[in-house]
Amino acid sequence: MSITLHPGAVTLAELEAIYRGAAVALDPACCTAIDAAAEAVAAAAKGSEPVYGVNTGFGKLASLKIAAEDTETLQRNLILSHCCGVGAPMPPEITRLMMALKLISFGRGASGVRWRAVELLQAMLDRGVIPVVPGQGSVGASGDLAPLAHMTAVLIGEGTATFDGVELTGAEALERVGLEPVVLGPKEGLAFINGTQFSTAYALAGLFGAWNAAQSALLVSAMSTDAIMGSTAPLLPEIHALRGHAGQIEAAGVLRDLLDGSEIRESHRHGDTRVQDPYCIRCQPQVTGAAMDIMRQAARTLEIEANAATDNPLVLTGEGRIVSGGNFHAEPVGFAADMIALAVAEIGAIAQRRVALMVDPTLSFDLPPFLTPNPGLNSGLMIAEVTTAALMSENKHLATPCVTDSTPTSANQEDHVSMAAHGARRLLPMVANLTHILGVEAMCAAQGIGFREPLATSGPLQSAVARLREAVPALAEDRYMAPDMNAAAGLIASGALVAATGMEFPEVTS
């Protein structure tokens, strides 16, 4: 699959396809605007007027004028001096997405880079040269400087990159695929590193994983509802229409469809002495639906940001001006990442309560303790529930907002920053925690549904249980549990359980 990038109109679905490995190419029609901006920068570099980043120093050193003959050295020094990242490298799929986002930003024709430099970045993506970019070092303003510098270093033959799984120097990697390093012209180094593409790429990756988990949460929560013989009355459409939140209405509809036709549900529709189910069953649409709504808000922000020109200064060719601004400040991305983190934490929090409900014989409506047929001799899913509690608590801590934690940098020139970079980077570990919580919930729910035999659950839920049982057999006697839990989490992460139902689930763009 190959995607042509139309800057300003790239969709969330296209961005996810790129994240999943689709090839990319910038719309050739962008060349005209890109070249026009580059010509404006070249003219400014030859002039006597100081233009930030073109013929001046950077940051606190912006008042220092740079001679025209030193322009190339200035840009090269900028890249080398800003390669200060630390920590584990970015996953290659997120690095690819970051590179594609930079192409989109350049395609807006406001950065002043030459088409040749854009072509080299695109060729690296096309031929599989992926820069090795340390994951830590950005505060999300002014731009993701350190990580983008590591990316850019490869274009000038410095730094390191992988090709065919082998780590090479930047120069070696380019040579392997028949490419030559570029000598950066006026402003080009600054344009490459001044932007929010690192933070945005991580936030998008977190969003895609979180939405996949939300879909699975709807499924496994329906399974849990049948396992504890919960009521479907709280899913009546009239209830949710009276409140009006789109995600809540949608979540309730999915849960109704998933539970439709369940013999377990019909068996206790009359004569059930319980008046109400606990909130973790009764309020599933209100909680998961709210999380869906907030993730969709974040998705809209990130789609806009992915299409934005976020470096500084920007070349306004229509007005004949090169203007300093602040589009590099990643506050929108930081807010979006915090919103996604809150949604992930809350989906996990209510899922963990459903796990706790099912293993507790005083609350599970006659399921055996810890869902084992022979309790006492066997501990069943006792400690699997404890693990979900640990993961839930960890996600609560990780969900603490990051955008409120600004600190001044660069001799107080950059005196308010977004912290979007690590706000976005924490999302994938949070999603991984959530997939394990939901995997354990699926195991508990399938075990509980099994104890309700000969009554059968609904058709879609039977299919989900059958898919789970291909990887995780029913628990009769205690056994080594870790492989089962990892297998269940894998089915959540891959979307295999959702796919097994054969049903349509909400999309983030709906």
Side-chain angles (χ1 to χ4, degrees), residues 14-25:
E14 289 173 326
L15 294 167
E16 182 166 9
I18 295 167
Y19 175 60
R20 305 295 181 197
V24 297

Side-chain angles (χ1 to χ4, degrees), residues 86-214:
V86 298
M90 296 175 70
E93 62 272 18
I94 302 181
T95 306
R96 287 187 74 257
L97 180 56
M98 178 177 72
M99 295 165 74
L101 292 173
K102 183 56 79 172
L103 285 175
I104 297 167
S105 182
F106 286 158
R108 296 298 298 269
S111 297
V113 297
R114 293 165 297 163
W115 182 250
R116 178 190 172 193
V118 176
E119 281 187 311
L120 178 57
L121 181 63
Q122 181 171 286
M124 287 168 54
L125 260 175
D126 185 57
R127 302 183 195 186
V129 175
I130 307 301
V132 176
V133 179
Q136 294 171 273
S138 173
V139 295
S142 87
D144 293 316
L145 297 172
L148 288 172
H150 282 277
M151 179 195 78
T152 310
V154 178
L155 280 83
I156 64 173
E158 300 288 347
T160 56
T162 60
F163 175 69
D164 279 348
V166 179
E167 188 169 318
L168 304 165
T169 67
E172 290 171 334
L174 294 177
E175 186 179 6
R176 288 280 182 97
V177 297
L179 298 174
E180 294 183 0
V182 67
V183 176
L184 297 173
K187 190 187 175 293
E188 287 185 332
L190 186 60
F192 267 95
I193 71 171
N194 216 330
T196 65
Q197 288 77 31
F198 172 90
S199 298
T200 304
Y202 263 107
L204 285 167
L207 172 69
F208 301 144
W211 191 264
N212 173 74

Side-chain angles (χ1 to χ4, degrees), residues 155-452:
L155 280 83
I156 64 173
E158 300 288 347
T160 56
T162 60
F163 175 69
D164 279 348
V166 179
E167 188 169 318
L168 304 165
T169 67
E172 290 171 334
L174 294 177
E175 186 179 6
R176 288 280 182 97
V177 297
L179 298 174
E180 294 183 0
V182 67
V183 176
L184 297 173
K187 190 187 175 293
E188 287 185 332
L190 186 60
F192 267 95
I193 71 171
N194 216 330
T196 65
Q197 288 77 31
F198 172 90
S199 298
T200 304
Y202 263 107
L204 285 167
L207 172 69
F208 301 144
W211 191 264
N212 173 74
Q215 291 180 324
S216 294
L218 290 172
L219 168 60
V220 297
S221 64
M223 293 167 61
S224 298
T225 300
D226 237 13
I228 62 103
M229 300 184 106
S231 174
T232 54
L235 303 178
L236 288 172
E238 293 83 358
I239 294 174
H240 306 286
L242 282 168
R243 197 173 199 186
H245 291 297
Q248 177 179 328
I249 293 169
E250 202 169 5
V254 172
L255 290 168
R256 286 195 305 273
D257 291 344
L258 284 167
L259 287 160
D260 186 43
S262 168
E263 293 177 359
I264 297 173
R265 171 63 186 120
E266 295 304 319
S267 72
H268 63 97
R269 193 175 288 277
H270 304 287
D272 194 331
T273 59
R274 297 170 296 172
V275 177
Q276 294 179 327
D277 291 319
Y279 289 178
C280 66
I281 298 295
R282 194 179 356 144
C283 299
Q284 293 173 71
Q286 288 82 357
V287 176
T288 306
M292 290 162 56
D293 282 341
I294 201 171
M295 282 195 281
R296 282 176 172 153
Q297 291 178 46
R300 286 192 289 272
T301 295
L302 294 175
E303 187 175 67
I304 292 169
E305 189 73 10
N307 282 281
T310 57
D311 59 288
N312 181 59
L314 291 172
V315 184
L316 309 180
T317 53
E319 300 182 18
R321 302 173 64 192
I322 301 175
V323 184
S324 287
N327 280 5
F328 52 74
H329 200 297
E331 195 82 355
V333 182
F335 274 122
D338 281 348
M339 292 161 68
I340 297 166
L342 290 169
V344 169
E346 280 298 274
I347 292 171
I350 196 169
Q352 199 283 326
R353 297 320 303 155
R354 292 191 296 266
V355 173
L357 182 72
M358 286 184 282
V359 301
D360 187 342
T362 64
L363 299 174
S364 64
F365 202 54
D366 300 328
L367 291 176
F370 304 107
L371 299 168
T372 175
N374 188 12
L377 180 63
N378 294 286
S379 296
L381 290 158
M382 178 191 294
I383 304 304
E385 185 269 331
V386 173
T387 297
T388 66
L391 296 175
M392 174 192 68
S393 182
E394 184 177 323
N395 272 3
K396 287 180 180 179
H397 286 280
L398 289 171
T400 301
C402 293
V403 292
T404 55
D405 192 31
S406 176
T407 189
T409 61
S410 193
N412 281 297
Q413 176 75 4
E414 298 157 10
D415 58 351
H416 183 279
V417 298
S418 70
M419 296 301 179
H422 65 267
R425 193 164 46 81
R426 69 179 156 166
L427 294 177
L428 287 179
M430 291 184 71
V431 170
N433 288 344
L434 177 55
T435 60
H436 280 285
I437 294 171
L438 295 174
V440 172
E441 183 183 1
M443 292 168 60
C444 291
Q447 192 81 354
I449 288 170
F451 283 119
R452 302 301 183 188

